[in-house]
Amino acid sequence: MLILGCGSIGCAVARRLVARGAAVTGVARGPARLAAIAASGAQPLGLDLLSDPLEPLICADQALFHFAPPPPEGERDELTARVVAHFARRGHPRRIVYISTTGVYGDCAGAWVDETWPTHPRAARSLRRLDAEQRLQDWAATSGGELVILRVAGIYGPDRLPLERIRAGQPTIVPEQAPWSNRIHADDLVEICLAALDRAPAGAIYNVSDGHPSTMTDYFDRISEAAGLPLPPRIPLTDATTQLSPAMLSYVQESRRLSNRKLLDELGIELRYPTLAAGLAAWRATLGTARE
């Protein structure tokens, strides 16, 4: 079993698979990542999927998690293109679970969005993800391999909170103009990845979110309150282009509310953290335990 781009989510998935008795190889770059993979019980494989020769990557008849992000520039995912070409040369995996982004829907003006909503990405990062989806769908159609696509909302968790941004006093949009945003707790994402491997129908696409969207400003406010930090300053949306980073600007220019009904019904998922409040309460409880 292979995990490409084996970061924190990949290592958590690896730990669960190893506990089942599976032989898992985690692919990543850098000594810290490789050490974390080894600590999870998986076999680390140091490989730059965008530039290194891919011969060490043995994929034939394997289950494969593709968590590797696209390159940081352009509108195509050349990393996924290289990996798919490698399959053709050295053997195809039997099933791929791919983490994509809900950004492939683009701006939906706050509408509720399910998996039938047309894709219309605006941001280059989302165009790259849609390119990867399409390359993998083409691979599945021609090879007979199984593909499951997870369109994942913003991931949060104990080590994935924007605390430094809040401490730095970076602004958020005034509440009445703030776009809708969606999220999923990292622990729930791990469970969903395993469920997608085990029982998702081939070809399935799922929105991965907790199903309780809020505005982006509300998200930052709730984290500030949970951490005992001052609320971020407010700015009108018209000032966003000059006061927000390009990455944050791309997020506030899109608004959508994600339906996760298909995920819950088809995979039988019961979220551990069905709301942001539940996720932040659990985080606060760990902080209290750490202080004792």
Side-chain angles (χ1 to χ4, degrees):
M1 197 168 294
L2 285 168
I3 303 176
L4 307 185
C6 193
S8 59
I9 297 297
C11 284
V13 169
R15 282 192 292 273
R16 295 288 299 278
L17 293 170
V18 169
R20 293 182 183 182
V24 182
T25 297
V27 181
R29 297 180 299 164
R33 284 279 182 92
L34 296 173
I37 293 168
S40 75
Q43 177 67 36
L45 174 60
L47 205 60
D48 186 326
L49 296 171
L50 193 58
S51 60
D52 288 345
L54 298 184
E55 276 61 33
L57 198 61
I58 309 301
C59 304
D61 299 319
Q62 296 285 325
L64 186 150
F65 290 96
H66 182 357
F67 297 163
E73 297 179 348
E75 296 183 357
R76 297 183 178 181
D77 183 357
E78 299 301 337
L79 182 151
T80 295
R82 289 190 86 225
V83 170
V84 169
H86 177 69
F87 297 160
R89 293 192 305 269
R90 299 298 300 272
H92 298 284
R94 58 179 176 82
R95 169 166 283 223
I96 296 176
V97 176
Y98 176 61
I99 283 189
S100 184
T101 174
T102 60
V104 297
Y105 296 117
D107 179 31
C108 305
W112 280 97
V113 173
D114 67 11
E115 292 82 357
T116 66
W117 193 275
T119 56
H120 189 63
R122 290 183 176 183
R125 58 182 166 77
S126 300
L127 287 164
R128 293 190 290 270
R129 290 290 189 178
L130 184 59
D131 179 69
E133 286 190 16
Q134 292 169 342
R135 290 178 187 273
L136 291 168
Q137 287 168 331
D138 289 344
W139 163 80
T142 57
S143 72
E146 298 178 349
L147 173 66
V148 181
I149 294 174
L150 304 178
R151 290 177 175 163
V152 178
I155 306 168
Y156 78 100
D159 59 347
R160 288 174 173 264
L161 297 174
L163 297 176
E164 291 308 310
R165 187 186 190 281
I166 294 169
R167 291 189 182 105
Q170 296 183 35
T172 56
I173 305 301
V174 292
E176 61 271 21
Q177 297 177 357
W180 288 98
S181 65
N182 307 267
R183 59 203 55 87
I184 187 72
H185 195 283
D187 291 350
D188 284 324
L189 176 56
V190 170
E191 293 291 340
I192 291 163
C193 288
L194 294 168
L197 174 71
D198 292 340
R199 56 185 182 270
I205 298 174
Y206 298 102
N207 289 342
V208 178
S209 76
D210 62 19
H212 289 85
S214 66
T215 68
M216 191 167 288
T217 295
D218 179 70
Y219 174 63
F220 285 116
D221 284 357
R222 291 197 189 194
I223 293 171
S224 300
E225 291 167 350
L229 297 171
L231 298 183
R234 274 48 166 154
I235 60 171
L237 191 56
T238 52
D239 291 350
T241 54
T242 58
Q243 297 198 42
L244 297 182
S245 68
M248 183 56 65
L249 181 62
S250 72
Y251 289 113
V252 302
Q253 290 175 331
E254 297 182 357
S255 181
R256 55 187 168 267
R257 289 177 285 178
L258 294 174
S259 168
N260 67 353
R261 180 49 52 196
K262 180 181 178 183
L263 176 82
L264 300 182
D265 290 349
E266 201 163 281
L267 294 185
I269 295 294
E270 183 173 345
L271 297 175
R272 184 175 180 184
Y273 304 106
T275 64
L276 177 63
L280 292 179
W283 172 64
R284 289 279 299 167
T286 63
L287 293 181
T289 302
R291 293 190 186 105
E292 293 175 359

